[in-house]
Amino acid sequence: MDDVQPKPLPEVNLPDLNQVGKPLRRVDALGKAVGATVYAADFTMPNMLHAKVLRSDRPHARIVRLDPSQAKALDGVACVLTGDDVKGAKLNTDLPGQTGREARSGSDAPVLALDTVRYVGEPIALVAAETLDLAEEALRLIDVEYEDLPAVFDPEEAMKPGAPILFEPDNVVSRYTIRKGDLDAGMAEADLVVESTFRMPFVEHAYLEPDAGVAWVDEQGVINIRVATQVVEHFRSIARALGVPQNRIRIRGTMVGGGFGSKEDITVEIFLAFLTRETGRPVKLVYTREEAFLATSKRHPFTITHRTGVKKDGRITASQIEMVADSGAYPYLTPYVLLYATGMATGPYKIDNVRIDSVAAATNQTFTSAFRGFGGPQAALGYEQQMDEIARALDLDPLEVRRANYMASGDTTCTGQEVSSAVWSEECATRVLAALGDRTPDSPTRRIGRGLANTFQSYGRIMWFHDTSRAWVGVELDGTVVIRCGVPDIGAGQSNSVCQIAAEILGVPLDRVTIYATDSAVTPLAGTSTATRQLYMSGNAVYSAASKIRARLARRAAEYIGVSEENILLENSRAIVTDDPSRFIELDALAKMCAAEGIELSHLAQFNAPFTDGLDPETGQGDIWPDFTFGAVAVEIAVDIETGQIDLLKCAASHDVGRAINPAAVQGQIAGGTHQGLGYALLEEFVLEEGRIRTPSLAEYMIPTIFDFPETDVIILESGTGVGPFGAKGIGEPALTPAAPAVANAVADALGIRIPELPFTPKRVLEAVVEAREKRTL
Amino acid sequence: MTERRPIRLIVNGRAHEVSLPPNTTLLTALRDLGCTDAKNGCEQGECGACAVLLDGEPMNSCMILAWQADGARITTNAGLGTLERPHPIQEAFADAGAIQCGFCTSGMVIATKALLDRNPDPTEAEIRDALSGNLCRCTGYGQIAAAVHLAAERLRNLPSWSASSASEDGQEPAFKKRVLASDDVTGEGGRS
């Protein structure tokens, strides 16, 4: 993989635009820079109460007695709620937002445990009091008596006969089967079969902003909840849990201080809704850091086994994959995370004969759910480590093995879904390898390793969810632009992107656009800020709404100036005659003219993703996602064989983002996502022992500091072939996916043997050094 | 809990006289006073989101008791600049793409201010050293380091903003005195 030349790019003619494609200062940047942005925990209300949550300290137990009477009697305590008080309300955890599919029978998480707790951290009771100190004191006065039940902490153990059952009839939460081509024939054709097993740990999102919210009942009796969330559409689930109509719950999202999938599930808002309804007073709930670790989801641990049939030249003839995922105590989004991992299990490669069997099982551990990549990174840790194992078994260059198998546009994934956009896997891979430059020489105690990973990751939701987004765009009489769109901004630039799109289409500078976002009552619902979908979905909705207004403005301007509509260009807050810029009308004058004549200056647009019906239940064949983003990461590392310490020396990341709406924001997504992936490989492990957390703080759970890794060399490619506005593809999740497998491959390159389990801590590395010496690979 | 003591916190050029129990952290006191730009990310001194300048020195305000800050001059990020008149460091963070979710930003800006006050032309290594106590989960830090370089360059070229002449108490010239009764300080943190 040394001395690689970048593969020439296919010719692409992207139009030069005024706003889109420019690294402009994001619309949300200055407010955050000066500390003016107000986050969920910063709000207070008059007469406000403070809430705390009592949580289980047992992994699996029956609640024999739960007596809140002493807590209720404490002066200053306004209310204590238990499972009985919320009448067994459950969180509809299988799917946030927009559809109403039934969960696996009975396995939805209760808002408050009724008679059984299934993980350490499960909520049991809520307190609202005049002060936070009083609320904490009241928690200590709630008397809970448990009877411990047998518990299970491993998904494979959980599926064995006789294992403790979390939900009848068994612990299996979800299962997928993929059958493509003829596996046996493909294996028979192979010169060699390579088999490997890889394991990945629980990982914590470690967003900087602990979960927070404030709720109150307004003068209409509507429950308002101001909360840091990725999903304002949770008002539907909350209404169902409370037994009130959906139009009686209003979610007012805030700027989110990092989500990464964790704030996709309901967090504090459901507790706040019950407490404010019960007390009639505003209530605030802010998790401590430890509670944010204890009470929210984790990335799924996976064990992935690949059995791959290959020809001597590296071509794959058959791929058999088994996956086992840990769902934790409740399903939440596990069925869909498993589907993502399964549907992307064979990577960006053309493989005709595939058999995949994947399963997720419940254990008495912190529940697992969405985390940036949503199963895609685990799948990639499987297929990309396996590609290098194939290369090692065949004594081929890892890049050559990949070249022999890269899918091209028009080829199909393991579910038979045709990839219709550009596939620039090799373009990305050759660029990141070239970016590493000269190889650092080994020293007696430091072994240098290089690793490459090529990945693909979907953007947009599963198509049988029938995903939609809405946006309202309007031009004011002074020529400024307003967007109303319920898009939650979780820091990735979701709101800025749609502003840049509207600015481009309506021909105004970005600072002439204002967005109102994230309010389920007053901004048109835009769907979740998850699944790398907002640029694609809400970007297209804004594109559509702005284009409608643009057409009306152009028509009226053409009539006014006396040219045909096609000759009008909106630029610099003017409607200009394309071939004679001296003839124009200012946008504000045009807007006033339209207003006076009753020409609509606003438009509400809805964008619908493609709708499908789901996979074939027997073969798992069918289309899952709207499109994919392809990318690669290459790293160079140094392994200290005396201490086990790994130093990352160089890192390069390249993705085809279709079209970079804001290149500075894209760079931030790629650099930040890569960093998270590097942490996954080298630092981060959320350790549970018998269901109890051993890494409850940022001192024990190590996320990367500014010291840990060098800056990533970010190489942005633009094929212009995405299904987002201006040919954009999504980059939020795809940015993370290739980093960890690239590191894994570099470690294996340095040691000559593979450490099968992440993260590559000094202890694991030293054990591997001993093994490598025994095997004489080092 | 019952023992309260009147103390004087001079925050962003404004004096506040508050009566607080011994266990109230400076972070809680600041947030109760409405300085919510100091963020509570961990309350354990691990993340740096609550960093403020205490008599010019960067500190995690969650690790100091309010009593210890009695009489000290405290500067939070919001004390450095405003939307209308941002501090060049704040502007550099916005321009360099150093801000994603923004939750770490106030602490990062404070750490940068402390660095550039004593070292107007820091090396990359010095920048990384100065920001090593501030966690960011979004950016990968590259654009943050670039923002510090940009801020340093702009400050060196803008004498009026140079570190030596910039007030540690930010841009509020008026020294307003506001006396809070102890009972007023329950709204934000709600500590009794």
Side-chain angles (χ1 to χ4, degrees):
Chain A
M1 296 195 297
D2 296 356
D3 303 322
V4 171
Q5 295 303 311
K7 183 184 178 186
L9 295 175
E11 193 174 327
V12 175
N13 290 311
L14 296 178
D16 189 24
L17 303 171
N18 293 315
Q19 303 294 326
V20 162
K22 300 287 190 290
L24 305 177
R25 177 197 279 185
R26 275 168 41 172
V27 297
D28 56 315
L30 196 60
K32 290 172 174 175
V34 302
T37 303
V38 186
Y39 294 80
D42 301 339
F43 286 92
T44 58
M45 294 285 289
N47 203 28
M48 187 177 81
L49 295 165
H50 298 266
K52 292 294 284 184
V53 185
L54 180 70
R55 298 182 178 278
S56 163
D57 60 5
R58 310 297 171 98
H60 199 191
R62 189 167 295 120
I63 299 175
V64 180
R65 190 163 50 85
L66 177 57
D67 179 8
S69 56
Q70 280 191 69
K72 284 182 175 173
L74 183 68
D75 197 27
V77 170
C79 135
V80 180
L81 296 179
T82 66
D84 286 333
D85 300 312
V86 302
K87 299 184 178 62
K90 291 195 167 191
L91 287 178
N92 187 235
T93 60
D94 72 329
L95 192 64
Q98 303 179 347
T99 63
R101 185 179 151 148
E102 288 297 312
R104 186 168 180 270
S105 177
S107 64
D108 274 346
V111 173
L112 295 171
L114 263 182
D115 47 13
T116 307
V117 290
R118 296 180 176 85
Y119 69 97
V120 173
E122 181 158 2
I124 297 173
L126 307 175
V127 172
E130 300 295 338
T131 70
L132 205 48
D133 287 329
L134 282 169
E136 282 168 5
E137 196 180 339
L139 279 196
R140 290 191 288 272
L141 294 175
I142 298 172
D143 191 14
V144 192
E145 190 183 324
Y146 299 100
E147 178 190 322
D148 285 319
L149 297 170
V152 62
F153 306 110
D154 178 287
E156 309 215 29
E157 294 296 320
M159 290 186 287
K160 288 179 180 167
I165 301 292
L166 277 79
F167 293 100
E168 295 294 342
D170 59 40
N171 289 324
V172 173
V173 170
S174 185
R175 215 185 258 288
Y176 294 96
T177 308
I178 306 283
R179 300 287 182 268
K180 180 189 183 188
D182 185 336
L183 184 87
D184 295 336
M187 288 292 182
E189 204 189 317
D191 295 326
L192 182 70
V193 175
V194 179
E195 182 167 340
S196 322
T197 296
F198 312 103
R199 292 190 297 279
M200 303 119 215
F202 284 99
V203 188
E204 159 63 30
H205 305 74
Y207 40 81
L208 261 281
E209 177 202 32
D211 308 77
V214 183
W216 67 96
V217 183
D218 72 15
E219 68 284 357
Q220 295 191 87
V222 171
I223 294 174
N224 284 247
I225 312 169
R226 206 185 282 282
V227 60
T229 181
Q230 299 177 232
V231 184
V232 297
E233 286 81 356
H234 279 320
F235 72 87
R236 301 192 206 281
S237 303
I238 294 166
R240 186 186 303 119
L242 265 70
V244 303
Q246 292 185 5
N247 67 356
R248 307 303 281 175
I249 304 287
R250 176 177 179 182
I251 304 283
R252 301 169 179 239
T254 56
M255 274 292 174
V256 178
F260 311 115
S262 193
K263 292 166 183 164
E264 175 170 358
D265 294 311
I266 288 177
T267 61
V268 298
E269 57 267 52
I270 189 82
F271 303 137
L272 288 168
F274 276 104
L275 288 169
T276 196
R277 179 172 74 168
E278 184 69 19
T279 60
R281 292 174 60 181
V283 186
K284 180 173 184 171
L285 175 55
V286 182
Y287 286 173
T288 62
R289 172 57 57 185
E290 184 171 356
E291 192 170 19
F293 275 26
L294 190 69
T296 64
S297 73
K298 303 290 163 269
R299 186 187 291 286
H300 290 73
F302 266 73
T303 300
I304 302 178
T305 299
H306 276 253
R307 218 175 132 255
T308 314
V310 288
K311 303 295 277 184
K312 282 179 184 153
D313 62 4
R315 273 182 300 131
I316 295 172
T317 58
S319 173
Q320 183 180 6
I321 303 169
E322 288 173 6
M323 297 179 155
V324 179
D326 190 334
S327 160
Y330 292 95
Y332 283 80
L333 295 165
T334 291
Y336 306 102
V337 172
L338 186 68
L339 174 67
Y340 268 57
T342 308
M344 290 185 261
T346 50
Y349 304 108
K350 179 181 185 296
I351 305 176
D352 295 329
N353 305 303
V354 179
R355 180 185 296 172
I356 306 173
D357 293 283
S358 62
V359 62
T363 63
N364 294 107
Q365 307 193 92
T366 316
F367 65 91
T368 47
S369 193
F371 192 153
R372 194 176 194 174
F374 209 75
Q378 292 97 318
L381 276 159
Y383 63 74
E384 277 306 90
Q385 293 194 81
Q386 179 71 349
M387 290 307 277
D388 270 35
E389 286 301 292
I390 291 166
R392 197 158 61 90
L394 296 172
D395 199 21
L396 292 173
D397 184 290
L399 180 61
E400 286 315 307
V401 174
R402 287 173 175 80
R403 277 182 172 140
N405 294 288
Y406 282 135
M407 64 164 58
S409 189
D411 288 338
T412 61
T413 69
C414 64
T415 70
Q417 175 170 358
E418 188 180 308
V419 177
S420 52
S421 63
V423 177
W424 283 8
S425 295
E426 191 175 349
E427 286 81 351
C428 292
T430 50
R431 275 166 182 75
V432 293
L433 287 170
L436 293 187
D438 293 337
R439 196 181 178 100
T440 305
D442 280 338
S443 76
T445 59
R446 274 160 64 96
R447 297 303 158 90
I448 303 302
R450 282 191 166 187
L452 166 70
N454 260 120
T455 60
F456 78 148
Q457 175 84 42
S458 60
Y459 63 95
R461 291 183 101 189
I462 294 167
M463 288 191 286
W464 57 87
F465 288 0
H466 294 193
D467 194 15
T468 60
S469 174
R470 282 146 290 272
W472 182 100
V473 178
V475 175
E476 297 300 331
L477 298 188
D478 59 359
T480 57
V481 174
V482 170
I483 300 172
R484 294 188 173 90
C485 179
V487 50
D489 195 315
I490 61 172
Q494 281 89 355
S495 53
N496 180 75
S497 294
V498 298
C499 289
Q500 262 182 268
I501 290 163
E504 179 66 44
I505 294 169
L506 293 169
V508 299
L510 184 59
D511 63 9
R512 301 279 281 173
V513 181
T514 298
I515 183 166
Y516 298 94
T518 330
D519 186 324
S520 71
V522 302
T523 56
L525 293 176
T528 63
S529 284
T530 70
T532 311
R533 67 176 283 288
Q534 284 294 10
L535 174 59
Y536 164 49
M537 296 296 299
S538 299
N540 273 327
V542 166
Y543 184 101
S544 167
S547 297
K548 282 282 194 313
I549 302 163
R550 191 208 169 280
R552 290 177 205 143
L553 291 168
R555 196 174 307 132
R556 187 62 190 90
E559 194 183 301
Y560 172 78
I561 299 172
V563 293
S564 72
E565 215 175 303
E566 298 74 50
N567 290 334
I568 294 291
L569 184 71
L570 295 194
E571 204 175 271
N572 298 326
S573 293
R574 289 174 171 175
I576 303 169
V577 177
T578 314
D579 49 13
D580 182 3
S582 68
R583 299 166 73 197
F584 63 85
I585 175 170
E586 299 284 354
L587 187 58
D588 58 344
L590 180 59
K592 288 187 189 90
M593 193 185 295
C594 289
E597 295 169 6
I599 297 169
E600 279 184 90
L601 284 169
S602 65
H603 191 81
L604 173 63
Q606 174 165 322
F607 178 75
N608 294 351
F611 292 177
T612 66
D613 292 330
L615 300 180
D616 180 296
E618 302 293 318
T619 64
Q621 295 296 289
D623 294 350
I624 307 179
W625 300 285
D627 194 22
F628 304 88
T629 299
F630 292 79
V633 163
V635 298
E636 184 180 271
I637 60 154
V639 182
D640 186 318
I641 57 175
E642 290 179 341
T643 65
Q645 177 67 36
I646 294 176
D647 287 336
L648 187 78
L649 303 179
K650 298 173 191 169
C651 177
S654 180
H655 295 263
D656 166 25
V657 301
R659 178 93 203 222
I661 302 298
N662 183 322
V666 170
Q667 182 180 339
Q669 285 301 295
I670 294 177
T674 302
H675 227 66
Q676 264 183 350
L678 297 172
Y680 188 15
L682 290 168
L683 300 171
E684 299 180 34
E685 183 169 21
F686 191 81
V687 180
L688 290 164
E689 282 174 19
E690 304 268 292
R692 289 183 170 79
I693 298 166
R694 296 296 178 224
T695 50
S697 78
L698 290 166
E700 288 105 344
Y701 186 85
M702 310 293 277
I703 66 170
T705 70
I706 198 167
F707 265 152
D708 288 305
F709 307 131
E711 191 172 347
T712 298
D713 188 352
V714 174
I715 303 162
I716 298 170
L717 302 183
E718 297 180 280
S719 68
T721 63
V723 294
F726 302 98
K729 293 185 169 193
I731 188 59
E733 291 174 285
L736 181 142
T737 305
V743 172
N745 288 338
V747 175
D749 180 48
L751 298 178
I753 61 164
R754 187 167 291 277
I755 303 173
E757 184 167 14
L758 264 58
F760 305 119
T761 55
K763 180 172 178 287
R764 288 199 180 110
V765 172
L766 282 179
E767 286 166 5
V769 166
V770 172
E771 188 189 335
R773 284 191 167 132
E774 283 167 4
K775 291 183 175 170
R776 296 179 184 281
T777 64
L778 188 69
Chain B
M1 292 295 194
T2 50
E3 184 200 358
R4 286 168 174 267
R5 197 173 94 184
I7 61 166
R8 183 175 157 90
L9 299 176
I10 307 162
V11 187
N12 300 332
R14 267 173 66 173
H16 304 271
E17 283 174 19
V18 292
S19 180
L20 295 170
N23 62 345
T24 301
T25 65
L26 179 59
L27 173 61
T28 298
L30 289 173
R31 291 180 60 80
D32 280 349
L33 288 169
C35 300
T36 56
D37 56 308
K39 295 294 177 219
N40 183 350
C42 71
E43 249 178 331
Q44 294 174 330
E46 298 294 339
C47 76
C50 67
V52 300
L53 297 177
L54 195 76
D55 289 330
E57 288 298 311
M59 305 267 173
N60 286 328
S61 61
C62 72
M63 299 304 286
I64 309 169
L65 298 172
W67 281 15
Q68 294 173 286
D70 188 6
R73 285 144 55 90
I74 299 152
T75 306
T76 73
N77 179 33
L80 296 178
T82 62
L83 281 173
E84 293 71 31
R85 190 154 185 259
H87 189 280
I89 294 173
Q90 297 169 328
E91 193 134 39
F93 268 70
D95 288 340
I99 299 172
Q100 290 192 28
C101 87
F103 204 78
C104 74
T105 304
S106 283
M108 290 284 183
V109 170
I110 287 292
T112 303
K113 176 76 165 66
L115 168 68
L116 298 184
D117 279 351
R118 62 173 192 273
N119 180 357
D121 191 8
T123 63
E124 176 77 15
E126 287 166 340
I127 289 171
R128 288 186 176 253
D129 186 53
L131 300 186
S132 61
N134 295 75
L135 292 177
C136 168
R137 190 58 158 165
C138 299
T139 64
Y141 301 104
Q143 285 159 306
I144 289 176
V148 180
H149 282 298
L150 180 63
E153 186 192 323
R154 287 181 178 173
L155 283 167
R156 287 197 304 275
N157 295 327
L158 267 178
S160 63
W161 274 105
S162 74
S164 55
S165 67
S167 158
E168 278 171 4
D169 292 328
Q171 301 311 307
E172 283 198 23
F175 192 82
K176 297 172 201 156
K177 185 168 172 179
R178 188 167 65 128
V179 178
L180 293 181
S182 58
D183 287 344
D184 289 348
V185 192
T186 56
E188 167 62 25
R191 294 285 171 182
S192 53

